[in-house]
Amino acid sequence: LTPRVGWLNDPNGFSFYDGLYHLFYQYNPYRPFWGPMHWGHVISRDLLHWTYQPAVLAPDQPYDNGNGCFSGSAQTLDDGRQILLYTGVSWEKQSDGSMKEIQQQCIASGDGEVYEKYEKNPVISSDQLPKGYDRSNFRDPKLWKEKDGSWRCVTVSRNETNGGGVLLFESSDCISWKFKSVMAENMNRFGRMWECPDFFTLDGQNVLIVSTMEMEAEELEYPNGNGVVCQIGHFDNQTGQFHSISSQSVDYGIDFYAPQTMLAPDGRRILIGWMQNLASVNQHSEKEPWFGQMTIPRELSVKKGRLIQRPVRELDACRQKRRLRVFVDVSQILSFQSHHKVKKIDIICLKCALRRMTNIIRHFVTIRMSLSLSLTEAILVQELQWYISVHARCKTTVDHSSFEL
């Protein structure tokens, strides 16, 4: 998924409404660079094929006409309307004449096509922040409905001393909100600030996902810079506090940020993320028609205290004409070039695929057994790496989209 024109970043309002998957996103329709934030909108029946819709939010009100309509989420109200909870960014004049950015939480409701902003926005004011938290860094509300019909949301805010954290708010009607608690604090462990919080229960475990800014590497688990951290732990419903038991990277690649999850009608917890990194977003030309893309959606689960991800099962329907090759001797195939009419591109692709597989194996052996291999399995992988390098022989499954070891 890419924008038709302009700039795309964080996924917003990922949801299922009126028989369709809806995905909104941070959107600047005017340039292929970050700018005044709108909410772009696409819909899908299968999470893979998306249809562009008109943008649903634009920075046209006093409470969001600063840098725009920042990230947020979506849910369905009891009356059937879809509600969007988002961060409105405005400018406030200070006593010395300077202007300061203020971030507050706002709502809009609609029918899946047209949305109307609430006339009394913002619904969560920056004045509701606990002492020490920054009004200029208070954003990205993630909304959900409790079993008793009440509403809750988490936001992030930066703290003056400990890198900020996740704040919990609650409401009976999704309009009037009260601060509940500082749900989780960064304590300067994961980066300078957290963004885009997501909190949910999965396989009996409480899961908190945050995107981290300017994080320092922690051995080989967390990379330098901007990343995404998953914490699994215990949530105390009475105090509103989350106690982390374990943590891990959500993605070990460099182009992954600001993911958001939704609960599908069949009970799956599905995640989609922005396939880009904030550190490398301005290296393209102004002449490019668009910039930014989303990842393939992923199904989540928790097993043995770890977050597990797999591409959504809808992708399986796109695979066809499966071909099985068992113990193909690549050296013999390459020798065909002198005796048979073999397409040069096939030879190049096969060489690249083998080189790529070897590099992948070497990577996972080096990165602390990121595949959770046992010692015996790790030795086998090392032997397999040597076997491919020396003998150029492997067992593969080939289809239209992958070359799998």
Side-chain angles (χ1 to χ4, degrees):
L1 172 63
T2 69
R4 180 177 291 169
V5 296
W7 163 280
L8 170 152
N9 61 292
D10 304 2
N12 299 155
F14 190 28
S15 55
F16 188 84
Y17 176 73
D18 198 23
L20 294 168
Y21 291 100
H22 291 253
L23 180 63
F24 307 88
Y25 53 88
Q26 292 288 276
Y27 179 46
N28 179 11
Y30 311 115
R31 297 178 62 212
F33 291 91
W34 193 92
M37 284 293 100
H38 298 56
W39 270 36
H41 184 201
V42 290
I43 56 175
S44 175
R45 295 189 181 278
D46 63 1
L47 293 166
L48 299 175
H49 303 89
W50 297 92
T51 302
Y52 294 106
Q53 302 293 299
V56 298
L57 296 178
D60 57 5
Q61 298 297 319
Y63 48 79
D64 62 19
N65 66 0
N67 278 326
C69 305
F70 278 16
S71 291
S73 51
Q75 286 289 343
T76 302
L77 296 174
D78 293 337
D79 62 11
R81 291 178 298 157
Q82 187 177 47
I83 189 167
L84 311 180
L85 179 61
Y86 72 98
T87 299
V89 183
S90 60
W91 294 102
E92 181 181 86
K93 191 172 184 178
Q94 305 300 297
S95 58
D96 61 0
S98 63
M99 302 298 289
K100 182 178 182 179
E101 183 178 283
I102 303 298
Q103 299 180 356
Q104 305 181 99
Q105 316 317 315
C106 308
I107 58 174
S109 59
D111 59 1
E113 296 182 1
V114 178
Y115 294 81
E116 183 177 352
K117 296 177 181 177
Y118 182 52
E119 64 273 12
K120 295 182 180 181
N121 276 332
V123 294
I124 305 179
S125 165
S126 59
D127 295 334
Q128 295 175 254
L129 283 170
K131 185 178 179 180
Y133 282 83
D134 186 3
R135 300 172 67 210
S136 297
N137 290 283
F138 171 40
R139 55 183 175 267
D140 308 337
K142 181 63 190 297
L143 173 68
W144 73 92
K145 189 175 184 180
E146 292 285 350
K147 292 180 180 179
D148 63 4
S150 63
W151 296 89
R152 285 185 169 182
C153 77
V154 286
T155 69
V156 291
S157 182
R158 187 179 180 185
N159 186 284
E160 297 172 354
T161 59
N162 65 11
V166 174
L167 310 180
L168 177 64
F169 294 83
E170 55 186 12
S171 172
S172 60
D173 57 7
C174 213
I175 296 177
S176 300
W177 291 88
K178 294 181 180 179
F179 171 74
K180 170 70 174 176
S181 64
V182 178
M183 195 176 87
E185 292 186 277
N186 185 4
M187 303 306 294
N188 294 316
R189 182 184 177 190
F190 299 119
R192 181 175 61 88
M193 181 180 167
W194 290 351
E195 293 189 299
C196 305
D198 204 330
F199 180 69
F200 50 89
T201 299
L202 181 62
D203 296 329
Q205 303 291 316
N206 297 127
V207 181
L208 175 65
I209 294 177
V210 293
S211 295
T212 59
M213 301 178 68
E214 300 179 17
M215 181 169 61
E216 293 185 7
E218 184 176 309
E219 295 183 349
L220 294 174
E221 178 66 25
Y222 305 111
N224 278 316
N226 305 303
V228 183
V229 174
C230 169
Q231 299 179 68
I232 298 175
H234 171 68
F235 176 70
D236 188 322
N237 194 56
Q238 296 300 317
T239 63
Q241 292 184 326
F242 174 80
H243 304 278
S244 177
I245 297 175
S246 64
S247 61
Q248 68 181 90
S249 287
V250 174
D251 194 293
Y252 292 90
I254 61 172
D255 288 324
F256 184 80
Y257 198 74
Q260 188 170 100
T261 74
M262 57 87 67
L263 192 62
D266 57 9
R268 290 177 294 163
R269 177 65 60 171
I270 299 175
L271 174 147
I272 194 169
W274 181 40
M275 197 168 68
Q276 189 60 56
N277 189 293
L278 290 169
S280 58
V281 295
N282 294 317
Q283 299 180 9
H284 56 286
S285 167
E286 180 78 46
K287 296 180 181 180
E288 297 291 339
W290 57 267
F291 181 85
Q293 54 278 317
M294 298 297 180
T295 64
I296 291 175
R298 310 171 183 183
E299 298 178 14
L300 304 184
S301 61
V302 174
K303 297 180 180 179
K304 297 181 180 181
R306 298 280 297 180
L307 183 71
I308 305 299
Q309 306 168 73
R310 57 151 286 172
V312 288
R313 63 195 64 176
E314 284 82 356
L315 193 63
D316 295 342
C318 297
R319 300 180 182 275
Q320 53 185 313
K321 297 183 179 179
R322 189 170 185 268
R323 301 173 184 177
L324 183 64
R325 300 287 186 269
V326 180
F327 291 111
V328 177
D329 191 329
V330 179
S331 60
Q332 291 182 12
I333 292 178
L334 298 181
S335 68
F336 288 169
Q337 191 170 13
S338 60
H339 304 289
H340 300 81
K341 293 182 179 180
V342 179
K343 294 181 180 179
K344 187 175 182 181
I345 188 65
D346 292 341
I347 301 298
I348 295 174
C349 288
L350 192 54
K351 288 181 178 178
C352 290
L354 286 171
R355 187 180 302 114
R356 176 62 176 159
M357 284 194 298
T358 302
N359 289 338
I360 290 173
I361 293 171
R362 182 179 297 113
H363 170 76
F364 282 119
V365 169
T366 303
I367 305 294
R368 292 180 54 204
M369 295 303 124
S370 297
L371 291 177
S372 300
L373 298 172
S374 67
L375 179 60
T376 302
E377 290 169 325
I379 294 173
L380 290 176
V381 169
Q382 291 175 339
E383 290 179 351
L384 184 57
Q385 175 187 333
W386 173 85
Y387 193 59
I388 291 178
S389 300
V390 176
H391 295 281
R393 183 189 296 268
C394 61
K395 178 179 179 179
T396 63
T397 300
V398 182
D399 61 22
H400 281 181
S401 59
S402 63
F403 193 105
E404 303 171 357
L405 179 63

